[in-house]
Amino acid sequence: MRETPRSQGTAGDSRAEPPQPRPGRALAHTTGASGSGTPHRSDGRPPQTPRGVRHTGPAGRLGTTPPVPRRPASPFPALLTLCVALFTLITWQVAANGPLRSLDERVELRIAGHGPQALADRLADLGSMQVALPVLAVAVGYALRHRRGTDALYAALTMAAVPALVVPLKALIDRQGPLTEVVGFYPSGHTATAMVAYCGAALLVSVRLMPVAVLLTVATGIGLLLRGYHWPLDVLASCCLGGALLLISSMGRRRSSSRTPTGCSGPS
């Protein structure tokens, strides 16, 4: 049997030469400039970050420390500051008989008694305890059923804070009503009750109901103004007061939920 003859270039050559690279083909690793065998990419880019540029971790080892995720800043403190500032400004203007109070009284005397009075009465009644409290009570029961006792407690305490703050303020400011000589109209208890009850219920059941809660609060204020039961600043100040109470309640609930272990928290 005849053997395939070896090429003359390799048959008589006693020295083994490394294979030569073919044209148009890149090698994954080539010998570095110093002959140390350092790998290089075929496109000329360095294979990794140079050692002098790499950052060390906490233990002094090479590598980069991943960034620690931070919770986004809550807008609640800024909103709370705004509500308190507006309430303080309005209260000062009403108590000191300032220019805002004069403008407030001119506006109310123009709109009081206008519009459908029967409808205005129904809207004003939305802020009564007989209407607003049952709505909040149903939401509290819903929260308790879903084992959210802390949320229900905060909602109940927020509602209890409304008369605790409004009644002393009415006696302190002693403002006369638009169409009566009776005093004690600042701030509006109906507006604060509506806002805390309806918005608090929305927070307990579903945030998607918040537009409905805001609409009911605005409707309450419109009814009070059309019937001449309150001045506009009475209603606006109560919105600021109710907003501040809801924000304080929400901040307290968030702190409580962050302290509760994940496995012990109820369904949201």
Side-chain angles (χ1 to χ4, degrees):
M1 180 180 296
R2 298 177 61 185
E3 295 182 357
T4 303
R6 289 183 293 180
S7 62
Q8 297 178 356
T10 58
D13 195 356
S14 60
R15 294 180 302 171
E17 295 183 359
Q20 300 298 321
R22 296 181 182 178
R25 194 169 186 179
L27 290 178
H29 296 81
T30 58
T31 306
S34 60
S36 59
T38 305
H40 292 278
R41 296 174 59 94
S42 59
D43 56 1
R45 289 183 295 171
Q48 60 185 6
T49 306
R51 290 182 177 271
V53 182
R54 288 155 63 182
H55 302 284
T56 58
R61 299 177 181 177
L62 292 177
T64 56
T65 305
V68 179
R70 295 182 179 180
R71 179 180 295 181
S74 172
F76 290 169
L79 293 175
L80 177 60
T81 302
L82 178 62
C83 288
V84 173
L86 287 176
F87 181 78
T88 303
L89 174 63
I90 296 172
T91 304
W92 167 59
Q93 285 290 298
V94 172
N97 201 11
L100 285 181
R101 174 169 176 169
S102 301
L103 176 62
D104 175 55
E105 293 175 352
R106 290 198 301 269
V107 170
E108 175 57 22
L109 293 178
R110 286 174 177 261
I111 65 176
H114 293 76
Q117 298 300 294
L119 177 60
D121 265 331
R122 299 295 181 271
L123 295 179
D125 288 340
L126 291 174
S128 64
M129 291 287 186
Q130 294 81 1
V131 178
L133 278 186
V135 175
L136 182 61
V138 171
V140 168
Y142 174 87
L144 291 175
R145 182 180 179 182
H146 288 79
R147 299 180 181 178
R148 293 167 54 201
T150 302
D151 295 347
L153 177 61
Y154 272 101
L157 291 176
T158 305
M159 189 72 251
V162 172
L165 294 175
V166 169
V167 172
L169 284 170
K170 284 179 176 290
L172 179 64
I173 304 301
D174 202 27
R175 189 181 191 186
Q176 183 176 330
L179 303 178
T180 180
E181 295 182 357
V182 180
V183 295
F185 279 75
Y186 179 90
S188 169
H190 277 60
T191 305
T193 300
M195 187 171 190
V196 171
Y198 298 135
C199 293
L203 291 174
L204 289 177
V205 178
S206 175
V207 182
R208 289 176 293 183
L209 296 175
M210 189 59 68
V212 179
V214 173
L215 180 61
L216 292 175
T217 304
V218 172
T220 302
I222 293 175
L224 293 170
L225 297 179
L226 293 178
R227 287 294 291 140
Y229 291 152
H230 276 285
W231 307 99
L233 286 182
D234 300 347
V235 174
L236 182 58
S238 289
C239 289
C240 295
L241 179 62
L245 292 175
L246 289 170
L247 287 170
I248 293 173
S249 176
S250 297
M251 292 167 65
R253 288 165 54 187
R254 289 186 61 173
R255 290 196 187 96
S256 298
S257 61
S258 63
R259 295 171 186 171
T260 304
T262 305
C264 300
S265 60
S268 56

